[in-house]
Amino acid sequence: MQLKRLKAFHTVAQLGSFSDAIGVTGLSQPTLSRLIKQLEEDIGVELIDRYHRPLQLTPAGGFFYEKVDLILRELDSTITLTQKMAHPPDTLNIGFVPSVLYGLLPTIISRLKQRLPSLDIHLKDISSFRQVDALKAGEIDVGFGRFAHDDANLNQLLLRHERYVVALPKIHDLADQHDIHLKQLQDSRIILYHQTHLPISNISITVPDNNDAPLFISEPLLHLFSKQSALPHHTTSVSDIQVALGLVAAGEGITLVPDSLKSVRSDQISYRTLIHEDATSPIYLCALQAPTHPAFSILLDVIYDIYEERGVTYRRINKSVF
Ligand code: BEZ
């Protein structure tokens, strides 16, 4: 079966018209008709209902179109990927949120440089929210963030969940206590720093406000508190996690940060574990759907190798999605 026949059928079926398909393919109506007729003879099935105006596919034709559409897309992306592999781009632009910089990101990058010495790696500090636009604009090839996005153009891999810890000024009453319950923090001032709020689909809890109408809590830290029915009485919002930790060090309040930030200002801040095992912050790898960068597969290998070496709990993803 010739690819040309499949492509002729696909274009006519997609546009629902021979005359539009003429414009797109540059083929004449008799040529398009002949190619489709030959395809029908190849598979012994009538694909187009020729008695209908405007053009309609037969039920078998509709089924065939859906399958051919997937195959042609896959073929296109395979060709692009193969071309990229033969002429690999010499740069990889990585977007990241500041909180992953305190964890494994530096180790991941230096290991990736060892594996791909000729690859030029550029790191860009970009919020999870902005990473989507940056990917679409081609500013970055991959982003590491803390939020999943509701966007069908993105390929998002959940790498792992990182436990939150409580960051308290050294002089705080709870500074020496382990396994703190969020209820114990209700009277302290909580410093909030997230610029991105949870998508509504991720919000599993509502709390009644004064009028008993449901109130959706989409700020990530407040959402954790609300799940324990422990909404804090006082909060302060700041622009980022480093400012939040600066305020904690100054005794202005307390906050929750992913475990990997425990080394920041540890002379002024006490980091304590939380009793709630589900109080975690996810780490996502985010890229555009195919075509992908040929370094992705090695990047994932490097991340998983480091997780294995360090005994990090993670969820391995089938690499074929990239
Ligand atoms: C991690 O800490 O698991 C991580 C950090 C940056 C990029 C990828 C993973």
Side-chain angles (χ1 to χ4, degrees):
M1 187 187 311
Q2 287 179 5
L3 189 57
K4 199 170 175 190
R5 295 176 189 169
L6 280 180
K7 285 192 167 171
F9 164 71
H10 181 261
T11 311
V12 170
Q14 188 174 49
L15 300 174
S17 129
F18 273 93
S19 45
D20 289 351
I22 292 166
V24 171
T25 61
L27 300 174
S28 65
Q29 163 122 18
T31 305
L32 282 171
S33 296
R34 179 174 46 77
L35 289 170
I36 294 172
K37 192 87 206 119
Q38 285 168 336
L39 177 64
E40 290 177 324
E41 283 164 15
D42 286 343
I43 61 174
V45 176
E46 196 178 46
L47 299 171
I48 291 185
D49 180 350
R50 291 185 170 69
Y51 300 102
H52 252 100
R53 290 285 176 278
L55 180 143
Q56 253 189 17
L57 300 181
T58 61
F63 171 79
F64 191 64
Y65 167 73
E66 297 295 332
K67 297 290 174 194
V68 169
D69 186 54
L70 290 177
I71 292 165
L72 291 182
R73 278 174 201 270
E74 183 64 27
L75 183 64
D76 275 351
S77 78
T78 305
I79 291 170
T80 313
L81 201 51
T82 309
Q83 287 166 336
K84 278 194 172 180
M85 274 181 177
H87 312 284
D90 49 11
T91 55
L92 179 68
N93 293 304
I94 301 180
F96 66 91
V97 291
S99 68
V100 298
L101 197 57
Y102 294 92
L104 298 177
L105 188 64
T107 316
I108 291 168
I109 299 305
S110 71
R111 190 77 64 88
L112 188 62
K113 284 182 174 165
Q114 283 165 14
R115 293 275 304 267
L116 298 171
S118 60
L119 186 67
D120 227 348
I121 299 174
H122 298 281
L123 291 168
K124 299 184 181 182
D125 159 14
I126 309 185
S127 71
S128 291
F129 179 63
R130 268 265 307 123
Q131 284 184 15
V132 180
D133 289 340
L135 283 166
K136 289 183 180 168
E139 282 169 40
I140 56 171
D141 302 297
V142 59
F144 292 111
R146 299 262 178 195
F147 291 92
H149 303 276
D150 194 10
D151 191 321
N153 298 313
L154 298 183
N155 201 348
Q156 303 178 89
L157 305 185
L158 173 62
L159 292 171
R160 68 179 178 114
H161 280 280
E162 195 177 2
R163 293 269 307 257
Y164 272 112
V165 291
V166 189
L168 311 116
K170 288 250 157 148
I171 49 159
H172 195 282
D173 289 349
L174 296 171
D176 294 323
Q177 190 184 313
H178 283 280
D179 296 335
I180 293 176
H181 194 292
L182 286 175
K183 267 197 184 299
Q184 293 175 273
L185 306 176
Q186 250 186 315
D187 292 328
S188 302
R189 176 168 296 278
I190 306 297
I191 319 273
L192 308 173
Y193 53 82
H194 284 101
Q195 298 306 309
T196 311
H197 282 203
L198 293 170
I200 291 292
S201 55
N202 288 8
I203 299 172
S204 54
I205 197 149
T206 59
V207 293
D209 67 7
N210 292 341
N211 306 317
D212 275 338
L215 174 68
F216 293 94
I217 309 271
S218 64
E219 200 292 325
L221 297 188
L222 289 183
H223 186 248
L224 291 177
F225 279 92
S226 74
K227 284 209 300 191
Q228 303 302 326
S229 306
L231 274 178
H233 302 132
H234 316 283
T235 60
T236 295
S237 293
V238 296
S239 57
D240 65 44
I241 201 163
Q242 290 97 332
V243 177
L245 288 174
L247 290 196
V248 174
E252 285 295 297
I254 66 170
T255 191
L256 307 181
V257 290
D259 184 79
S260 52
L261 278 97
K262 274 190 325 206
S263 54
V264 180
R265 295 179 182 270
S266 53
D267 51 332
Q268 298 152 311
I269 296 177
S270 199
Y271 292 95
R272 293 290 146 207
T273 49
L274 273 172
I275 202 159
H276 319 283
E277 287 187 4
D278 62 343
T280 59
S281 173
I283 300 181
Y284 287 96
L285 185 161
C286 192
L288 285 184
Q289 292 283 12
T292 56
H293 196 291
F296 281 169
S297 159
I298 296 172
L299 176 61
L300 262 187
D301 282 344
V302 164
I303 293 172
Y304 291 152
D305 285 353
I306 292 170
Y307 285 171
E308 290 289 338
E309 286 163 21
R310 302 198 174 198
V312 172
T313 307
Y314 70 102
R315 188 199 286 184
R316 190 175 276 265
I317 307 138
N318 182 356
K319 277 202 306 182
S320 66
V321 296
F322 268 125

